[in-house]
Amino acid sequence: MDETAELAAFRAEVRDFALAHCPPEIRAVVAANGKLGRKQWAPWQRILHAHGWGAPSWPKEYGGTGWDQRRRHIFDEVLAECDCPPQYHHGLRHLGPVLIAFGTEEQKARFLPGILSGEDWWCQGYSEPGAGSDLASLKTRAVREGEEYVVTGQKLWTSHAHESDRMYTLVRTNAEVKRQEGITLLLIPLNSPGICVREVRTIDGWHHVNEVFLDGVRVPVANRIGEENKGWTYGKFLLDRERLGGANVAPAFRFLDRCRELVARELAGPADALKRGQLEYRLLLAEAELRGARELGKAAVDAVTAGEPLGLMPSELKLSTADTVQRIGAIALDAVGERVASRFRPVDASGPNAAVEDIEWVQNFMYLRAKTIFGGSNEVQKNVVAKQLFGN
């Protein structure tokens, strides 16, 4: 559907605000393909919250904007086009809607304001050793003792746990029933006795994922979302809220633009003409893929707005954009690799790598290896497509 004059005016309003109010030092991190953390996300969330735009997907009665799906999509798209950080998703887009739908009034009053203002930082305690894509295999157990649960186990690949205040966590409360039926969703403060957060070193040299050990951690029953053993339902609801995440390909287009600028700058000499032409051709192929994904994303937004089923579109978007962004990262590495790759060291970006110009392109190439894994691996997405097309 073509954009109405009203939506075009809204797009311009968001753009003007983003360019005027997102701090330059934060936009610089995005523009340099740097790794975002709480240091960048939290102040930007406070700015958006003060303007009344803190929670685009929440209803107005809980401090949200009450925007429809098209406005939310435009908002996310424009932020990316302006090199502003996307909003941190764990609290706003994952846990917040679950609290609104299934939480008690006391839980909503306790947790929603901190998410909205950016004061409270959440991470997701889902994956475990042996329970990633097959999440129903999780083994972290919670035993009820009076008005508390005693939680013991391990979570893995927990993004931003090292800078989070709380973790929304799936635990097993009944091992005698079907796997999906014995899971409970708990909200666990990360400063609780018995919790140890340990960095997982990754090949990109950034610290963003962790393992979280829980050793007899006591969690009040008041921190349970909904009913005991119904956590699988709430967890699926949480993930379903983000089925349209792939519809916004604006970040991928900005990544493409920056890569194109890099190729032109890095390979500007006459002796580089052949290699530059080869990389520019590969960039054109990537751009064609992204243009197709953008049209599919628009169709997905229109389908949700009209109340129509999304079908295979989320899986198709995930597969297409993940592969294409990986290819763009590979093009960038081919452009700068001879100059900087040998100087890459797998340490945090605050260390020696920070002094190497364009080292972020090497780090992004490494980081993007996970693009086809997180958020539903390519193999899982292909199984979803095959099941819908061909049945069991």
Side-chain angles (χ1 to χ4, degrees), residues 11-24 27 44 47-48 51 53 75 78-84:
R11 182 182 292 275
E13 179 188 2
V14 175
R15 186 179 304 280
D16 290 345
F17 180 84
L19 293 175
H21 295 281
C22 187
R27 292 178 61 209
W44 179 224
I47 292 169
L48 291 172
H51 191 66
W53 289 354
F75 179 75
V78 173
L79 291 191
E81 291 169 352
C82 295
D83 288 334
C84 299

mmCIF file of all heavy atoms in Angstrom, residues 11-24 27 44 47-48 51 53 75 78-84:
data_model
loop_
_atom_site.group_PDB
_atom_site.id
_atom_site.type_symbol
_atom_site.label_atom_id
_atom_site.label_comp_id
_atom_site.label_asym_id
_atom_site.label_seq_id
_atom_site.Cartn_x
_atom_site.Cartn_y
_atom_site.Cartn_z
ATOM 1 N N ARG A 11 6.533 10.281 9.064
ATOM 2 C CA ARG A 11 7.901 9.904 8.735
ATOM 3 C C ARG A 11 8.840 11.110 8.854
ATOM 4 O O ARG A 11 9.934 11.024 9.422
ATOM 5 C CB ARG A 11 7.962 9.312 7.321
ATOM 6 C CG ARG A 11 9.346 8.842 6.894
ATOM 7 C CD ARG A 11 9.317 8.313 5.465
ATOM 8 N NE ARG A 11 8.565 7.082 5.359
ATOM 9 C CZ ARG A 11 9.061 5.868 5.586
ATOM 10 N NH1 ARG A 11 10.343 5.741 5.924
ATOM 11 N NH2 ARG A 11 8.309 4.799 5.455
ATOM 12 N N ALA A 12 8.401 12.251 8.329
ATOM 13 C CA ALA A 12 9.216 13.468 8.401
ATOM 14 C C ALA A 12 9.389 13.927 9.845
ATOM 15 O O ALA A 12 10.470 14.393 10.236
ATOM 16 C CB ALA A 12 8.568 14.570 7.559
ATOM 17 N N GLU A 13 8.336 13.795 10.651
ATOM 18 C CA GLU A 13 8.408 14.187 12.061
ATOM 19 C C GLU A 13 9.431 13.339 12.807
ATOM 20 O O GLU A 13 10.255 13.855 13.585
ATOM 21 C CB GLU A 13 7.033 14.036 12.708
ATOM 22 C CG GLU A 13 7.011 14.398 14.189
ATOM 23 C CD GLU A 13 5.683 14.066 14.861
ATOM 24 O OE1 GLU A 13 4.785 13.518 14.186
ATOM 25 O OE2 GLU A 13 5.556 14.343 16.076
ATOM 26 N N VAL A 14 9.405 12.020 12.569
ATOM 27 C CA VAL A 14 10.361 11.131 13.228
ATOM 28 C C VAL A 14 11.785 11.454 12.787
ATOM 29 O O VAL A 14 12.719 11.507 13.604
ATOM 30 C CB VAL A 14 10.024 9.652 12.942
ATOM 31 C CG1 VAL A 14 11.095 8.733 13.539
ATOM 32 C CG2 VAL A 14 8.659 9.285 13.505
ATOM 33 N N ARG A 15 11.969 11.700 11.498
ATOM 34 C CA ARG A 15 13.300 12.012 10.985
ATOM 35 C C ARG A 15 13.851 13.292 11.614
ATOM 36 O O ARG A 15 15.002 13.351 12.048
ATOM 37 C CB ARG A 15 13.258 12.144 9.459
ATOM 38 C CG ARG A 15 14.644 12.332 8.818
ATOM 39 C CD ARG A 15 14.523 12.432 7.301
ATOM 40 N NE ARG A 15 13.840 11.274 6.765
ATOM 41 C CZ ARG A 15 14.418 10.095 6.546
ATOM 42 N NH1 ARG A 15 15.715 9.953 6.815
ATOM 43 N NH2 ARG A 15 13.737 9.085 6.055
ATOM 44 N N ASP A 16 13.024 14.325 11.659
ATOM 45 C CA ASP A 16 13.467 15.605 12.238
ATOM 46 C C ASP A 16 13.859 15.430 13.692
ATOM 47 O O ASP A 16 14.878 15.972 14.148
ATOM 48 C CB ASP A 16 12.356 16.654 12.107
ATOM 49 C CG ASP A 16 12.132 17.105 10.670
ATOM 50 O OD1 ASP A 16 13.001 16.833 9.821
ATOM 51 O OD2 ASP A 16 11.070 17.710 10.398
ATOM 52 N N PHE A 17 13.044 14.664 14.430
ATOM 53 C CA PHE A 17 13.338 14.455 15.854
ATOM 54 C C PHE A 17 14.627 13.654 16.028
ATOM 55 O O PHE A 17 15.483 13.995 16.857
ATOM 56 C CB PHE A 17 12.180 13.728 16.535
ATOM 57 C CG PHE A 17 12.418 13.478 17.992
ATOM 58 C CD1 PHE A 17 12.130 14.457 18.937
ATOM 59 C CD2 PHE A 17 12.955 12.278 18.429
ATOM 60 C CE1 PHE A 17 12.383 14.239 20.288
ATOM 61 C CE2 PHE A 17 13.206 12.046 19.775
ATOM 62 C CZ PHE A 17 12.915 13.035 20.704
ATOM 63 N N ALA A 18 14.770 12.588 15.250
ATOM 64 C CA ALA A 18 15.946 11.727 15.387
ATOM 65 C C ALA A 18 17.229 12.495 15.106
ATOM 66 O O ALA A 18 18.212 12.393 15.852
ATOM 67 C CB ALA A 18 15.822 10.529 14.448
ATOM 68 N N LEU A 19 17.227 13.281 14.042
ATOM 69 C CA LEU A 19 18.432 14.022 13.672
ATOM 70 C C LEU A 19 18.752 15.125 14.680
ATOM 71 O O LEU A 19 19.915 15.467 14.898
ATOM 72 C CB LEU A 19 18.273 14.615 12.274
ATOM 73 C CG LEU A 19 18.211 13.597 11.127
ATOM 74 C CD1 LEU A 19 17.920 14.301 9.808
ATOM 75 C CD2 LEU A 19 19.510 12.804 11.042
ATOM 76 N N ALA A 20 17.707 15.665 15.312
ATOM 77 C CA ALA A 20 17.921 16.770 16.246
ATOM 78 C C ALA A 20 18.259 16.305 17.660
ATOM 79 O O ALA A 20 18.951 17.014 18.396
ATOM 80 C CB ALA A 20 16.672 17.659 16.286
ATOM 81 N N HIS A 21 17.793 15.110 18.049
ATOM 82 C CA HIS A 21 17.871 14.737 19.461
ATOM 83 C C HIS A 21 18.703 13.500 19.773
ATOM 84 O O HIS A 21 19.061 13.295 20.942
ATOM 85 C CB HIS A 21 16.458 14.541 20.017
ATOM 86 C CG HIS A 21 15.640 15.794 20.033
ATOM 87 N ND1 HIS A 21 15.782 16.764 20.995
ATOM 88 C CD2 HIS A 21 14.694 16.250 19.174
ATOM 89 C CE1 HIS A 21 14.954 17.767 20.748
ATOM 90 N NE2 HIS A 21 14.281 17.481 19.638
ATOM 91 N N CYS A 22 19.008 12.666 18.794
ATOM 92 C CA CYS A 22 19.878 11.526 19.093
ATOM 93 C C CYS A 22 21.306 12.044 19.216
ATOM 94 O O CYS A 22 21.835 12.651 18.275
ATOM 95 C CB CYS A 22 19.792 10.482 17.983
ATOM 96 S SG CYS A 22 20.694 8.956 18.389
ATOM 97 N N PRO A 23 21.964 11.851 20.360
ATOM 98 C CA PRO A 23 23.303 12.416 20.574
ATOM 99 C C PRO A 23 24.294 12.002 19.492
ATOM 100 O O PRO A 23 24.333 10.824 19.105
ATOM 101 C CB PRO A 23 23.701 11.849 21.941
ATOM 102 C CG PRO A 23 22.392 11.586 22.637
ATOM 103 C CD PRO A 23 21.458 11.137 21.551
ATOM 104 N N PRO A 24 25.094 12.937 19.010
ATOM 105 C CA PRO A 24 26.052 12.631 17.940
ATOM 106 C C PRO A 24 27.020 11.498 18.290
ATOM 107 O O PRO A 24 27.382 10.700 17.425
ATOM 108 C CB PRO A 24 26.800 13.956 17.749
ATOM 109 C CG PRO A 24 25.873 15.005 18.266
ATOM 110 C CD PRO A 24 25.105 14.369 19.369
ATOM 111 N N ARG A 27 25.150 8.265 17.625
ATOM 112 C CA ARG A 27 25.009 8.026 16.193
ATOM 113 C C ARG A 27 26.345 7.642 15.569
ATOM 114 O O ARG A 27 26.397 6.863 14.610
ATOM 115 C CB ARG A 27 24.429 9.269 15.507
ATOM 116 C CG ARG A 27 22.977 9.561 15.902
ATOM 117 C CD ARG A 27 22.460 10.836 15.247
ATOM 118 N NE ARG A 27 22.478 10.720 13.800
ATOM 119 C CZ ARG A 27 22.625 11.753 12.984
ATOM 120 N NH1 ARG A 27 22.802 12.967 13.467
ATOM 121 N NH2 ARG A 27 22.609 11.572 11.679
ATOM 122 N N TRP A 44 19.496 7.026 24.959
ATOM 123 C CA TRP A 44 18.583 7.217 23.833
ATOM 124 C C TRP A 44 17.154 6.842 24.239
ATOM 125 O O TRP A 44 16.188 7.519 23.880
ATOM 126 C CB TRP A 44 19.063 6.393 22.647
ATOM 127 C CG TRP A 44 18.239 6.446 21.397
ATOM 128 C CD1 TRP A 44 17.891 5.393 20.614
ATOM 129 C CD2 TRP A 44 17.696 7.599 20.726
ATOM 130 N NE1 TRP A 44 17.170 5.798 19.524
ATOM 131 C CE2 TRP A 44 17.029 7.159 19.567
ATOM 132 C CE3 TRP A 44 17.705 8.963 21.018
ATOM 133 C CZ2 TRP A 44 16.374 8.027 18.694
ATOM 134 C CZ3 TRP A 44 17.053 9.835 20.148
ATOM 135 C CH2 TRP A 44 16.393 9.373 19.006
ATOM 136 N N ILE A 47 15.637 9.670 26.184
ATOM 137 C CA ILE A 47 15.227 10.768 25.298
ATOM 138 C C ILE A 47 13.899 10.441 24.634
ATOM 139 O O ILE A 47 12.988 11.288 24.585
ATOM 140 C CB ILE A 47 16.331 11.022 24.250
ATOM 141 C CG1 ILE A 47 17.579 11.599 24.913
ATOM 142 C CG2 ILE A 47 15.828 11.961 23.149
ATOM 143 C CD1 ILE A 47 18.800 11.630 24.016
ATOM 144 N N LEU A 48 13.766 9.228 24.132
ATOM 145 C CA LEU A 48 12.514 8.835 23.475
ATOM 146 C C LEU A 48 11.359 8.810 24.466
ATOM 147 O O LEU A 48 10.245 9.253 24.155
ATOM 148 C CB LEU A 48 12.688 7.459 22.827
ATOM 149 C CG LEU A 48 13.624 7.401 21.610
ATOM 150 C CD1 LEU A 48 13.864 5.957 21.199
ATOM 151 C CD2 LEU A 48 13.048 8.199 20.444
ATOM 152 N N HIS A 51 9.963 12.154 25.251
ATOM 153 C CA HIS A 51 9.189 12.689 24.125
ATOM 154 C C HIS A 51 7.864 11.953 23.946
ATOM 155 O O HIS A 51 7.058 12.341 23.080
ATOM 156 C CB HIS A 51 10.016 12.596 22.844
ATOM 157 C CG HIS A 51 9.445 13.341 21.690
ATOM 158 N ND1 HIS A 51 9.326 14.722 21.652
ATOM 159 C CD2 HIS A 51 8.930 12.899 20.503
ATOM 160 C CE1 HIS A 51 8.776 15.087 20.504
ATOM 161 N NE2 HIS A 51 8.527 13.998 19.792
ATOM 162 N N TRP A 53 7.704 8.696 23.120
ATOM 163 C CA TRP A 53 7.906 7.643 22.132
ATOM 164 C C TRP A 53 8.675 6.463 22.707
ATOM 165 O O TRP A 53 9.325 5.726 21.985
ATOM 166 C CB TRP A 53 8.666 8.193 20.919
ATOM 167 C CG TRP A 53 7.882 9.134 20.054
ATOM 168 C CD1 TRP A 53 6.562 9.445 20.166
ATOM 169 C CD2 TRP A 53 8.376 9.899 18.943
ATOM 170 N NE1 TRP A 53 6.199 10.351 19.199
ATOM 171 C CE2 TRP A 53 7.281 10.646 18.424
ATOM 172 C CE3 TRP A 53 9.617 10.018 18.331
ATOM 173 C CZ2 TRP A 53 7.411 11.500 17.327
ATOM 174 C CZ3 TRP A 53 9.751 10.869 17.241
ATOM 175 C CH2 TRP A 53 8.661 11.594 16.737
ATOM 176 N N PHE A 75 8.670 4.188 12.148
ATOM 177 C CA PHE A 75 9.535 4.652 13.239
ATOM 178 C C PHE A 75 10.858 3.888 13.243
ATOM 179 O O PHE A 75 11.945 4.488 13.253
ATOM 180 C CB PHE A 75 8.798 4.468 14.562
ATOM 181 C CG PHE A 75 9.570 4.886 15.781
ATOM 182 C CD1 PHE A 75 9.745 6.220 16.088
ATOM 183 C CD2 PHE A 75 10.110 3.930 16.632
ATOM 184 C CE1 PHE A 75 10.452 6.606 17.220
ATOM 185 C CE2 PHE A 75 10.814 4.300 17.765
ATOM 186 C CZ PHE A 75 10.986 5.646 18.053
ATOM 187 N N VAL A 78 13.007 4.756 10.074
ATOM 188 C CA VAL A 78 13.638 6.075 10.075
ATOM 189 C C VAL A 78 14.797 6.125 11.058
ATOM 190 O O VAL A 78 15.844 6.735 10.772
ATOM 191 C CB VAL A 78 12.599 7.173 10.373
ATOM 192 C CG1 VAL A 78 13.275 8.523 10.556
ATOM 193 C CG2 VAL A 78 11.572 7.246 9.247
ATOM 194 N N LEU A 79 14.652 5.500 12.220
ATOM 195 C CA LEU A 79 15.772 5.476 13.167
ATOM 196 C C LEU A 79 17.009 4.872 12.512
ATOM 197 O O LEU A 79 18.123 5.387 12.666
ATOM 198 C CB LEU A 79 15.405 4.676 14.426
ATOM 199 C CG LEU A 79 14.360 5.258 15.366
ATOM 200 C CD1 LEU A 79 14.346 4.463 16.673
ATOM 201 C CD2 LEU A 79 14.586 6.730 15.651
ATOM 202 N N ALA A 80 16.822 3.790 11.788
ATOM 203 C CA ALA A 80 17.962 3.158 11.121
ATOM 204 C C ALA A 80 18.537 4.065 10.043
ATOM 205 O O ALA A 80 19.765 4.191 9.913
ATOM 206 C CB ALA A 80 17.536 1.824 10.520
ATOM 207 N N GLU A 81 17.682 4.697 9.270
ATOM 208 C CA GLU A 81 18.148 5.580 8.201
ATOM 209 C C GLU A 81 18.946 6.761 8.747
ATOM 210 O O GLU A 81 19.822 7.295 8.061
ATOM 211 C CB GLU A 81 16.957 6.082 7.394
ATOM 212 C CG GLU A 81 16.281 4.993 6.568
ATOM 213 C CD GLU A 81 14.951 5.430 5.982
ATOM 214 O OE1 GLU A 81 14.467 6.529 6.344
ATOM 215 O OE2 GLU A 81 14.382 4.671 5.167
ATOM 216 N N CYS A 82 18.654 7.153 9.986
ATOM 217 C CA CYS A 82 19.345 8.288 10.613
ATOM 218 C C CYS A 82 20.527 7.856 11.483
ATOM 219 O O CYS A 82 21.096 8.672 12.215
ATOM 220 C CB CYS A 82 18.359 9.092 11.456
ATOM 221 S SG CYS A 82 17.046 9.894 10.512
ATOM 222 N N ASP A 83 20.895 6.593 11.415
ATOM 223 C CA ASP A 83 21.992 6.052 12.221
ATOM 224 C C ASP A 83 21.733 6.197 13.716
ATOM 225 O O ASP A 83 22.666 6.386 14.515
ATOM 226 C CB ASP A 83 23.329 6.722 11.863
ATOM 227 C CG ASP A 83 23.841 6.288 10.500
ATOM 228 O OD1 ASP A 83 23.482 5.185 10.064
ATOM 229 O OD2 ASP A 83 24.600 7.051 9.879
ATOM 230 N N CYS A 84 20.467 6.081 14.113
ATOM 231 C CA CYS A 84 20.117 6.040 15.531
ATOM 232 C C CYS A 84 19.992 4.576 15.959
ATOM 233 O O CYS A 84 19.591 3.732 15.161
ATOM 234 C CB CYS A 84 18.799 6.763 15.791
ATOM 235 S SG CYS A 84 18.809 8.509 15.355
#
